[in-house]
DNA sequence: TTGTGTGAATCCCTTCACAGCG
DNA sequence: CGCTGTGAAGGGATTCACACAA
């Protein structure tokens, strides 16, 4: 149980959790670091190191109990509870996300939708009414929103992000193609499809031009 | 000009390219590594190191010519040409991507759409007719598709990916929440929103539970 | 014997610092 | 003098290898 967790750990933990859920539905009782590694495209040593940052969950000679480890991982990842989310920007991306089944089923509850288009404000999505941007702060404070999904154009993103953070938001899933400047206490995850497409064409181009 | 490019380089190069485009529209002629670093949330040394892997594009005492470096970066990233893309899965995500303006404007041309739902097959999106999955291989080969956007359910993803690779695809933008197994010569970029949401809740949970 | 937990060794990436060119 | 390009140093993260517990 050492502290000092590498930044890349979260993605792997998330993957282990998914594997454990699969194993459980397959009826597995225990699992070894070896088997988790195989499913997660990593190494057994990496699995053990990742877990060791948070405690000792396995039994030597036996492996890990699937249900126990799954529960531990849910706690570590902070998904053993419901997160209240506001969706900012009710465009294509926003709508795709809003109807994304894994979203609600995994404990992320959308409690507010905001859009700056007067034609959209007032219309209903599911059980929610789209609100205007002026209400951003009061919605966040009033509904106890902790996460924001930022799906607005690039020029509006930084301003909205700053306001959301000042209103008390703890994390931002950012779809705008800019690097947001926020205080260190706020977590930001960027989803940047252009960047990922360019990473693809880069890999292909570079792989192709090797001896 | 050393080879051996760190894996994380592509994302930064993509960001530099975006910054250079901004600079150009602002009328800047030259730019220093310092200034690029500021816009890219990195350090001047990192910028110079990143670029040095591919050549010497700057002038000492002066910096980099904006238009020159932009052109070089477009070549390095492989975005100085049009990539032919097939969209597999015409659901919510597929439709959001298909109408994503940056997609076409940045040189990614969607030349085929495939979906397994018989009700969707035959309908038209833009100028394209949705094709059934049986035609996957012939579409890829016939149209010279190099990139595939995989927006299908998890259970179907690996099979489709394997078939696409066998048919000649070079890169996959994967929205299915699984780790695809493909030969090393094929590039894969994963877009996994559940994982990113969990990375957010992880950061918040861990940040919160520190001293 | 099996498979975890973990210090030590290794590897890779970033940062430093400066020689050298414009 | 200013700023790049780059070997060398430094720091993190991964991998190794083994003591030890079940």
């Amino acid at each position: 149980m050492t502290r000092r967790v590498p930044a890349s750990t979260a993605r792997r933990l998330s993957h282990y959790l998914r594997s454990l859920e699969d194993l459980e539905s397959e009826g597995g009782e225990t699992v070894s670091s070896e088997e988790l590694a195989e499913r997660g495209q990593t190494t057994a040593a990496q699995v053990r190191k990742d877990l060791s940052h948070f405690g000792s969950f396995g039994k030597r000679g036996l492996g890990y109990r699937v249900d126990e480890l799954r529960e531990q991982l849910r706690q570590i990842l902070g998904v053993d509870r419901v997160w209240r989310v506001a969706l900012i920007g009710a465009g294509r991306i926003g709508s795709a996300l809003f109807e994304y089944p894994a979203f609600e089923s995994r404990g992320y509850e959308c409690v507010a939708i905001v859009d700056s288009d007067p034609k959209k404000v007032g219309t209903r999505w599911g059980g929610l009414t789209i609100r205007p941007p002026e209400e951003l702060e009061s919605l966040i404070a009033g509904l106890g929103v902790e996460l924001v999904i930022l799906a607005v154009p690039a020029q509006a993103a930084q301003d909205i992000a700053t306001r959301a953070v000042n209103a008390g938001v703890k994390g931002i899933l950012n779809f705008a193609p800019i690097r947001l400047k926020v205080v260190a206490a706020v977590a930001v995850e960027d989803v940047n499809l252009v960047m990922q497409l360019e990473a693809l064409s880069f890999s292909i181009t570079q792989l192709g031009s090797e001896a």
Side-chain angles (χ1 to χ4, degrees), chain A:
Chain A
M1 172 91 131
T2 48
R3 264 294 111 121
R4 169 114 310 207
V5 184
S8 46
T9 307
R11 316 188 78 78
R12 288 195 302 266
L13 295 180
S14 179
H15 208 281
Y16 304 153
L17 176 55
R18 204 100 342 105
S19 300
L20 287 164
E21 288 166 349
D22 291 350
L23 279 162
E24 206 162 28
S25 69
E26 292 163 18
E29 298 265 309
T30 61
V31 63
S32 65
S33 55
E34 186 96 37
E35 192 173 350
L36 273 178
E38 217 168 299
R39 297 183 177 241
Q41 215 101 123
T42 178
T43 66
Q46 183 73 73
V47 172
R48 296 200 298 276
K49 184 66 89 181
D50 284 341
L51 296 176
S52 78
H53 293 129
F54 305 97
S56 301
F57 308 121
K59 300 221 182 317
R60 303 186 186 213
L62 253 168
Y64 305 87
R65 289 209 40 130
V66 171
D67 53 356
E68 255 178 35
L69 186 56
R70 194 214 44 189
E71 217 32 57
Q72 292 286 356
L73 277 176
R74 284 172 50 81
Q75 270 184 41
I76 295 166
L77 284 167
V79 296
D80 55 342
R81 66 187 205 65
V82 172
W83 290 87
R84 296 166 77 75
V85 179
L87 173 60
I88 321 287
R92 296 237 139 234
I93 297 173
S95 112
L97 256 184
F98 187 71
E99 311 218 1
Y100 188 42
F103 191 66
E104 190 109 23
S105 78
R106 293 208 144 266
Y108 297 90
E109 186 191 359
C110 188
V111 296
I113 308 174
V114 172
D115 198 287
S116 64
D117 182 347
K119 285 197 286 293
K120 284 182 182 160
V121 169
T123 64
R124 292 177 75 80
W125 276 16
L128 292 171
T129 304
I130 298 182
R131 314 299 315 167
E134 307 88 79
E135 298 182 15
L136 184 66
E137 285 85 352
S138 62
L139 286 166
I140 290 172
L143 296 167
V145 168
E146 287 161 302
L147 296 178
V148 151
I149 295 175
L150 196 57
V152 303
Q155 26 344 336
Q158 179 64 65
D159 176 54
I160 297 275
T162 306
R163 287 173 55 196
V165 168
N166 288 339
V169 155
K170 300 287 202 322
I172 301 173
L173 187 65
N174 173 41
F175 283 82
I178 62 164
R179 279 269 168 73
L180 295 176
K181 283 179 191 124
V182 297
V183 292
V186 174
V188 177
E189 278 283 319
D190 290 303
V191 182
N192 191 328
L193 295 178
V194 168
M195 203 172 268
Q196 294 202 275
L197 282 166
E198 289 183 355
L200 273 186
S201 59
F202 175 74
S203 304
I204 297 171
T205 307
Q206 298 303 316
L207 281 174
S209 72
E210 263 165 34

